[in-house]
Amino acid sequence: MAGVNKPDPARRSERSRQAILQAARELVSEVGYAKVSIEAIAARAGVGKQTIYRWWRSKGAVVFDSFLALSEGGDASDGDGGSVVLPDTGDIEADLKTVMRATVAEFADPGFEAPIRALNLEIVNDPELAAQYRDKLAAPVDEAKKARLRSAQRAGQIAADADLDLALELLYAPLYQRWLLRSGPLTPQYADALVDLALKALRP
Amino acid sequence: MAGVNKPDPARRSERSRQAILQAARELVSEVGYAKVSIEAIAARAGVGKQTIYRWWRSKGAVVFDSFLALSEGGDASDGDGGSVVLPDTGDIEADLKTVMRATVAEFADPGFEAPIRALNLEIVNDPELAAQYRDKLAAPVDEAKKARLRSAQRAGQIAADADLDLALELLYAPLYQRWLLRSGPLTPQYADALVDLALKALRP
Amino acid sequence: MAGVNKPDPARRSERSRQAILQAARELVSEVGYAKVSIEAIAARAGVGKQTIYRWWRSKGAVVFDSFLALSEGGDASDGDGGSVVLPDTGDIEADLKTVMRATVAEFADPGFEAPIRALNLEIVNDPELAAQYRDKLAAPVDEAKKARLRSAQRAGQIAADADLDLALELLYAPLYQRWLLRSGPLTPQYADALVDLALKALRP
Amino acid sequence: MAGVNKPDPARRSERSRQAILQAARELVSEVGYAKVSIEAIAARAGVGKQTIYRWWRSKGAVVFDSFLALSEGGDASDGDGGSVVLPDTGDIEADLKTVMRATVAEFADPGFEAPIRALNLEIVNDPELAAQYRDKLAAPVDEAKKARLRSAQRAGQIAADADLDLALELLYAPLYQRWLLRSGPLTPQYADALVDLALKALRP
DNA sequence: CGATAAGCGAGACGGTACGTCCCGTCTTCCT
DNA sequence: AGGAAGACGGGACGTACCGTCTCGCTTATCG
């Protein structure tokens, strides 16, 4: 549990940890990731700077953990949780369009967009954070998506021998790229077109 | 010429400009983008800090321009130039695999990878730089790629009504994403698989 | 002029220098030397910390200079100034007692005592400051005292071949030691006894 | 035994006490008094910080005790001891010169000088330590010196009504001052001159 | 053609934040 | 209960850069 950045010998103050993560979250949404400083996080959390440096490697690690904690806190109560489930109406095309339109909508919401962009930025030049991101945040979602694709395979809507990782990239990478580089409009129509094209490629 | 960021009253010292761009390039490759400071650029270029602030908005703008100047210096002699040409053997599949394998190879070379990653990072949270990037660096290359695809359309290898921008994204975005997020291995086989899949989607 | 701690290339801001010295003086008398921090001086002076570090080696150096400036500012208007003059009634015993009783009184005044004690502390483990102290603060006073003793030599009240430096130490060192180590009461009677004893030693 | 700074309920660990004092001594001579920290002492002694704070008021108190323990350990075996005895050849002048030349030599030895300077520094702004210093370290030595002077009084070499405390100051304060402030050379000749002058003042 | 104003190097300046060192207090767990 | 261990909130350190601001000194244009 929690994004491990340094060894955690249990002597750690949970109260401080929570205060730091909350302060980080608040500050990122108030002033933007770039303008958040460790000093400010410590001050807001009512914590010595050393307490942050003791447990995290960098500002990026703190902010990352603060998001992580949020996503972990948000799921069901059944133990480890985080079991994402996607709609499965039997119609893979319709389901994918639903999901991808939702993603497009998320990217359009500045309240979502800004922190995620910051997170991605941090991930780009910190391989260790990137690994954590994949394992803790991306993996569960990707797994759910692949589960839906597998279901489509069983239904004969997608080639049985398709590489699902690649399929996922085919669907989502264009969207991700447009968003990150702002290289084109992100519309529901775009999402639909993407699904159509990708499904054509994946057809049996 | 060059991504102008501030008004340029011709009184500008070309010698200083070149020194600054070169210093920026050197420093980025020596210590990495994040650790480059405007002070360091000024010092290395033998230039007053003000001279940098006078002509560029930010560190990102300087570094960006330094890359831009490099790419502009490297192309053909015909004026503004930059006319990229891709191979056209008549076999779109073979040609795309050639080009994408080359891209994979570039991404694998740390000497190329590091500065490009820095550039992408800077672009991600500076829309203005992003626009410049698209116009000055990405556009010519994309245009060449689309030209090749158009040629394939004429040859009936690709659907005549295919959206070429989307086609380009389908081909390159997965590769870009894997590279940027380090979310998977970048191999020639991967490039090939991507081409196969994308072409299947684009088939008439 | 001014206690030189670093080279002074004239580009220096006199306004900042004065603000720093004044802030140092105020803080020392408000919270005591030990509790003064460079950070606090900078804040009070409305100055960046770097501006202090640029021109002074240490807190001790700043505080020292702040005292120095005071003593320099306090003397006559004739140029370099600082020409201390002691009473010369022709009676060396009476004159010395007057001067040493005054010194005793100074040491008894907490407003004087505290900063001087701090200054001495700083001097004790900083040979460079000690040298400055001797040259800029002690020397003029000592010179005046020796002038008075020389006058007494001419009047035949003191041996013509007496070592005046040693004579000064004989008179003042006991007083200094009692004050610094608090090893005994500092009274006018003590001053008188000291003068009597020293003069006996110096008699022709 | 030892300069007690806090109540001592006998539950105290002698092993820890010794380790702390030794660590303090070592560190002072290795890095200098100013750079010694309580944390460093605790770490070197293999002791919790609290154990130091429990038994001493301050770094100064620890260091002081560490010196004290050293001087107590060094003297004769008769219990509390510390009975210093000075040479008494019958010639007060010769004896004083011997003793004071020895003091000069001590001050010249950096191995002695540094810790004593540190000790004096600490004493200067801690009246409580100063009192302890006088009682435990200075008093025995001063008593021995006064004993020698008293013997000289009996021999008629020194005025019978001389104030011996003042006499001691007359002899030693100039030396102490020169050493502490580095205000002049400390040579055997200087010691001799001092004795000559002081004896002249003390003559019957 | 000489004044005059801009660009320029240099770098001081008021600031913010960094990451580190210690402070003195505290809590935990062991002996 | 004392002690080893060390986390904690906090204050200050000395450093790196930020972006702005003077300084003199070219230099290149225009009255």
Side-chain angles (χ1 to χ4, degrees):
Chain A
M1 221 128 311
V4 177
N5 287 282
K6 299 239 181 124
D8 191 330
R11 302 292 303 280
R12 175 171 192 177
S13 156
E14 183 60 18
R15 156 192 289 273
S16 294
R17 189 178 153 269
Q18 293 298 350
I20 289 164
L21 295 181
Q22 184 183 337
R25 249 175 281 131
E26 291 172 6
L27 283 169
V28 167
S29 62
E30 283 173 24
V31 303
Y33 176 77
K35 287 188 183 166
V36 171
S37 67
I38 290 196
E39 209 139 274
I41 296 175
R44 159 103 45 144
V47 139
K49 280 200 286 178
Q50 202 61 45
T51 301
I52 298 185
Y53 285 110
R54 191 151 29 228
W55 303 111
W56 287 276
R57 281 186 309 108
S58 63
K59 178 178 76 164
V62 184
V63 172
F64 181 88
D65 262 19
S66 78
F67 291 159
L68 200 53
L70 223 164
S71 89
E72 276 175 350
D75 53 345
S77 55
D78 55 312
D80 211 0
S83 51
V84 185
V85 183
L86 296 185
D88 188 347
T89 65
D91 180 350
I92 183 68
E93 181 186 331
D95 288 353
L96 280 179
K97 284 181 177 172
T98 302
V99 171
M100 287 192 64
R101 278 163 174 257
T103 305
V104 163
E106 258 182 34
F107 281 160
D109 176 356
F112 262 63
E113 204 263 5
I116 305 179
R117 187 172 291 272
L119 191 53
N120 271 272
L121 241 160
E122 206 53 35
I123 281 165
V124 163
N125 50 12
D126 187 334
E128 200 166 321
L129 278 187
Q132 264 189 51
Y133 169 78
R134 280 196 308 279
D135 293 352
K136 307 266 173 156
L137 289 175
V141 180
D142 284 357
E143 212 40 67
K145 290 171 184 166
K146 286 198 275 184
R148 181 64 191 84
L149 291 181
R150 233 173 274 126
S151 153
Q153 279 181 317
R154 267 179 261 119
Q157 296 166 323
I158 282 183
D161 64 344
D163 176 339
L164 295 189
D165 285 308
L166 217 159
L168 234 48
E169 288 175 339
L170 214 60
L171 278 162
Y172 283 91
L175 207 140
Y176 174 75
Q177 190 187 46
R178 276 210 179 186
W179 166 68
L180 200 66
L181 301 183
R182 290 177 248 253
S183 51
L186 278 185
T187 60
Q189 290 72 40
Y190 177 67
D192 290 355
L194 222 41
V195 170
D196 289 338
L197 217 49
L199 282 184
K200 193 173 165 201
L202 299 171
R203 205 158 293 163
Chain B
M1 205 159 304
V4 178
N5 288 283
K6 298 245 179 121
D8 189 331
R11 294 288 294 272
R12 177 171 192 178
S13 155
E14 183 59 18
R15 157 194 290 272
S16 293
R17 190 178 153 271
Q18 292 298 349
I20 289 164
L21 295 181
Q22 185 183 337
R25 248 175 280 131
E26 291 173 5
L27 283 169
V28 166
S29 63
E30 283 173 26
V31 304
Y33 176 78
K35 288 189 181 164
V36 171
S37 67
I38 289 197
E39 294 221 339
I41 296 175
R44 159 97 50 140
V47 138
K49 284 200 288 174
Q50 201 59 251
T51 302
I52 297 185
Y53 284 110
R54 187 151 29 230
W55 304 110
W56 286 276
R57 278 187 309 112
S58 64
K59 178 177 78 162
V62 183
V63 172
F64 182 88
D65 263 19
S66 79
F67 290 159
L68 201 54
L70 211 139
S71 89
E72 277 174 350
D75 53 348
S77 53
D78 56 314
D80 211 0
S83 52
V84 185
V85 182
L86 297 185
D88 188 348
T89 65
D91 180 351
I92 184 67
E93 181 186 331
D95 288 353
L96 280 179
K97 284 183 177 172
T98 303
V99 170
M100 288 191 64
R101 277 163 174 257
T103 304
V104 163
E106 258 182 34
F107 281 160
D109 175 356
F112 262 63
E113 204 261 5
I116 304 180
R117 190 172 288 272
L119 192 53
N120 271 274
L121 241 159
E122 204 52 35
I123 281 165
V124 164
N125 51 11
D126 187 334
E128 198 166 325
L129 279 186
Q132 266 188 49
Y133 170 78
R134 280 196 306 279
D135 294 351
K136 307 264 173 161
L137 290 176
V141 180
D142 284 359
E143 213 40 68
K145 289 171 185 167
K146 286 199 274 184
R148 181 65 191 85
L149 291 181
R150 232 171 274 125
S151 153
Q153 280 180 315
R154 267 178 259 118
Q157 295 168 323
I158 284 184
D161 64 344
D163 178 339
L164 296 190
D165 285 309
L166 217 161
L168 232 50
E169 288 175 338
L170 213 61
L171 278 162
Y172 283 91
L175 205 139
Y176 173 76
Q177 191 187 47
R178 275 211 178 185
W179 166 68
L180 199 66
L181 301 185
R182 292 176 245 253
S183 51
L186 280 185
T187 60
Q189 289 73 41
Y190 177 68
D192 291 354
L194 220 42
V195 170
D196 290 338
L197 217 51
L199 283 184
K200 192 173 166 202
L202 298 171
R203 203 161 293 161
Chain C
M1 221 128 311
V4 178
N5 287 283
K6 300 241 182 122
D8 191 330
R11 301 293 303 278
R12 175 171 193 178
S13 156
E14 183 60 18
R15 156 191 290 273
S16 294
R17 191 178 152 269
Q18 293 298 351
I20 290 163
L21 296 181
Q22 184 183 337
R25 249 175 281 132
E26 291 172 7
L27 284 169
V28 166
S29 62
E30 283 172 25
V31 303
Y33 176 78
K35 288 188 182 166
V36 171
S37 67
I38 289 198
E39 208 139 275
I41 296 175
R44 159 102 45 143
V47 138
K49 280 200 284 176
Q50 202 60 45
T51 301
I52 297 184
Y53 284 110
R54 193 157 19 233
W55 304 111
W56 286 277
R57 281 187 307 111
S58 64
K59 178 177 78 163
V62 183
V63 172
F64 181 88
D65 261 20
S66 78
F67 291 161
L68 199 54
L70 223 163
S71 91
E72 275 174 351
D75 53 342
S77 54
D78 57 312
D80 210 1
S83 49
V84 186
V85 182
L86 297 185
D88 188 347
T89 64
D91 181 348
I92 184 68
E93 182 186 329
D95 288 352
L96 280 178
K97 284 182 177 172
T98 303
V99 170
M100 288 192 63
R101 278 164 173 255
T103 304
V104 164
E106 259 182 34
F107 281 160
D109 175 356
F112 261 63
E113 205 261 3
I116 305 180
R117 187 172 291 271
L119 191 54
N120 271 273
L121 241 159
E122 206 53 34
I123 280 165
V124 162
N125 51 12
D126 188 335
E128 200 165 322
L129 278 187
Q132 264 190 50
Y133 170 77
R134 279 196 307 280
D135 294 350
K136 307 264 173 159
L137 289 177
V141 180
D142 284 359
E143 213 39 67
K145 289 171 183 166
K146 286 199 273 184
R148 181 64 192 84
L149 291 181
R150 233 172 273 123
S151 154
Q153 281 180 315
R154 267 179 261 116
Q157 296 167 325
I158 282 182
D161 63 345
D163 177 338
L164 296 189
D165 284 309
L166 217 159
L168 232 50
E169 289 176 337
L170 214 61
L171 279 161
Y172 283 92
L175 205 141
Y176 174 75
Q177 191 187 45
R178 276 210 178 186
W179 166 67
L180 199 67
L181 301 184
R182 291 176 247 251
S183 52
L186 278 185
T187 59
Q189 289 72 41
Y190 177 67
D192 291 353
L194 221 42
V195 171
D196 289 338
L197 216 50
L199 283 183
K200 194 172 165 202
L202 297 171
R203 204 159 292 161
Chain D
M1 206 159 306
V4 177
N5 288 284
K6 299 248 179 118
D8 189 332
R11 293 290 295 271
R12 176 171 192 176
S13 156
E14 183 60 17
R15 156 194 289 274
S16 294
R17 191 179 152 271
Q18 292 298 349
I20 289 164
L21 296 181
Q22 183 183 338
R25 248 175 281 130
E26 291 173 6
L27 283 168
V28 166
S29 62
E30 283 172 26
V31 304
Y33 176 78
K35 288 188 182 166
V36 171
S37 67
I38 289 196
E39 295 222 339
I41 296 174
R44 159 100 47 141
V47 138
K49 284 199 290 174
Q50 201 59 252
T51 304
I52 298 185
Y53 284 109
R54 190 154 24 233
W55 303 110
W56 286 276
R57 279 187 309 111
S58 65
K59 178 179 77 164
V62 183
V63 172
F64 182 88
D65 263 19
S66 79
F67 290 159
L68 200 55
L70 209 138
S71 89
E72 277 174 350
D75 53 348
S77 54
D78 56 313
D80 211 359
S83 51
V84 186
V85 182
L86 296 186
D88 189 346
T89 65
D91 180 350
I92 183 67
E93 181 187 330
D95 289 353
L96 280 178
K97 284 181 178 173
T98 301
V99 171
M100 287 192 63
R101 277 164 172 257
T103 304
V104 164
E106 259 182 34
F107 282 160
D109 176 355
F112 263 63
E113 206 261 6
I116 305 179
R117 190 173 287 274
L119 193 53
N120 271 274
L121 241 160
E122 205 52 35
I123 282 164
V124 162
N125 50 13
D126 187 334
E128 198 165 323
L129 281 186
Q132 265 190 50
Y133 169 78
R134 278 196 307 279
D135 294 351
K136 307 265 173 161
L137 289 176
V141 181
D142 284 358
E143 213 39 67
K145 289 171 184 165
K146 286 199 272 186
R148 181 63 191 84
L149 291 181
R150 233 173 273 124
S151 153
Q153 279 180 317
R154 269 179 258 115
Q157 295 167 323
I158 283 183
D161 62 345
D163 176 339
L164 295 189
D165 285 310
L166 217 161
L168 233 49
E169 289 176 337
L170 213 61
L171 278 162
Y172 283 91
L175 207 138
Y176 173 76
Q177 191 187 44
R178 275 211 179 185
W179 165 68
L180 200 67
L181 301 184
R182 291 177 245 252
S183 52
L186 280 184
T187 60
Q189 291 73 41
Y190 178 67
D192 290 355
L194 221 42
V195 170
D196 289 338
L197 216 50
L199 283 184
K200 193 172 166 202
L202 299 171
R203 204 158 292 160

